[in-house]
Amino acid sequence: MKYISSLVFLVSVTFSSLVFSQVGIKYDINASNPLGVVAAMDKFYASSTGQAGSGSVTLYQYVANGDNPATHAFLVSFSDFEDMQSTFARNALSQDWATFLVELSSAAEQVSSVMFRSTGLNGGDPSKVTSANTAHYWTYISVSNPSAYASAWQALIAQNANVDFTSGLTEILAHGKSDITHVVTQTANDLPTLLGTPNSDLNGWGDFVSSVSGTRTVITRDVLTRLMNWTNAN
């Protein structure tokens, strides 16, 4: 059984959503005991090591993710890679962290991990997305010309400023053997709002598809809901 012994994300993190992250890691897990996962996180965040960190960690549940066996996903972000590295060092010396790994491994198994970095390109009005249990649509893509794709995507979101969801373009730095290079994220208050307007109905969608047809390949699409968030005031 492949336990989540490699997780490094729960001490000094600054995550609100994948869209607005700087750098970070997403961990897919198959949770046999979701309540046990939450309990392990609660305990860790209450510990001295957990309290020493800043930022937040967010737990998502998959609604639809194809043949991916993951049931949930943890996402975490750091302000920069130096912050990420200091977290690794702190965790390595922490008994609180060691206890957390034991308790988490009894409730879940790691499926995969992804390292990401925000491009800083976002769309929509965040003030419209206020739910504690937001709905998310993540489209993983392979892009051969990132600059051209980013320009086309910016043109698309500029024509759809009044939509009821936010969106973001994030670069994938590491994803194993996958060809994925980026993920486009969309976030809304609930599933009806998120999925009520197909992307094909967006203003300028036809022009966007034509402009990226030779440089973009869609790899997979996932739908998720946000379950829990742990945040320190540091």
Side-chain angles (χ1 to χ4, degrees):
M1 189 176 198
K2 184 178 180 183
Y3 295 116
I4 314 177
S5 59
S6 63
L7 295 185
V8 292
F9 56 89
L10 299 176
V11 180
S12 180
V13 297
T14 53
F15 178 80
S16 58
S17 76
L18 185 59
V19 175
F20 303 110
S21 297
Q22 299 301 312
V23 300
I25 303 177
K26 175 178 79 78
Y27 293 94
D28 276 359
I29 63 172
N30 188 327
S32 58
N33 180 3
L35 293 180
V37 171
V38 173
M41 184 75 76
D42 283 342
K43 180 177 177 180
F44 178 79
Y45 247 81
S47 70
S48 59
T49 304
Q51 289 297 304
S54 61
S56 64
V57 172
T58 304
L59 175 65
Y60 293 85
Q61 181 176 11
Y62 279 106
V63 176
N65 58 342
D67 58 2
N68 181 355
T71 59
H72 297 75
F74 275 114
L75 286 95
V76 58
S77 74
F78 304 85
S79 57
D80 50 43
F81 288 112
E82 288 75 18
D83 189 21
M84 181 183 288
Q85 183 60 47
S86 67
T87 298
F88 297 169
R90 183 187 298 112
N91 286 349
L93 300 175
S94 169
Q95 182 58 49
D96 296 328
W97 177 254
T99 299
F100 169 77
L101 289 180
V102 171
E103 295 178 350
L104 188 59
S105 66
S106 68
E109 180 180 7
Q110 182 177 326
V111 174
S112 66
S113 61
V114 174
M115 180 177 287
F116 61 87
R117 173 171 56 198
S118 174
T119 65
L121 303 178
N122 304 299
D125 183 356
S127 68
K128 293 183 178 181
V129 183
T130 59
S131 173
N133 300 111
T134 45
H136 301 258
Y137 189 43
W138 297 347
T139 303
Y140 292 90
I141 58 177
S142 176
V143 175
S144 59
N145 188 334
S147 296
Y149 181 85
S151 295
W153 189 79
Q154 285 181 284
L156 174 68
I157 62 175
Q159 297 179 69
N160 295 276
N162 295 322
V163 295
D164 292 325
F165 59 84
T166 59
S167 57
L169 178 63
T170 296
E171 180 185 7
I172 300 300
L173 300 176
H175 197 286
K177 297 180 180 180
S178 171
D179 293 329
I180 292 171
T181 62
H182 295 76
V183 57
V184 177
T185 65
Q186 294 169 292
T187 303
N189 286 315
D190 49 43
L191 285 173
T193 303
L194 180 69
L195 303 176
T197 302
N199 284 336
S200 57
D201 288 349
L202 293 176
N203 296 329
W205 180 258
D207 292 338
F208 168 74
V209 171
S210 296
S211 65
V212 302
S213 62
T215 62
R216 180 201 66 161
T217 301
V218 175
I219 305 298
T220 187
R221 298 181 176 93
D222 295 337
V223 176
L224 311 88
T225 56
R226 178 181 183 273
L227 297 182
M228 299 283 295
N229 178 260
W230 293 263
T231 303
N232 287 330
N234 298 342

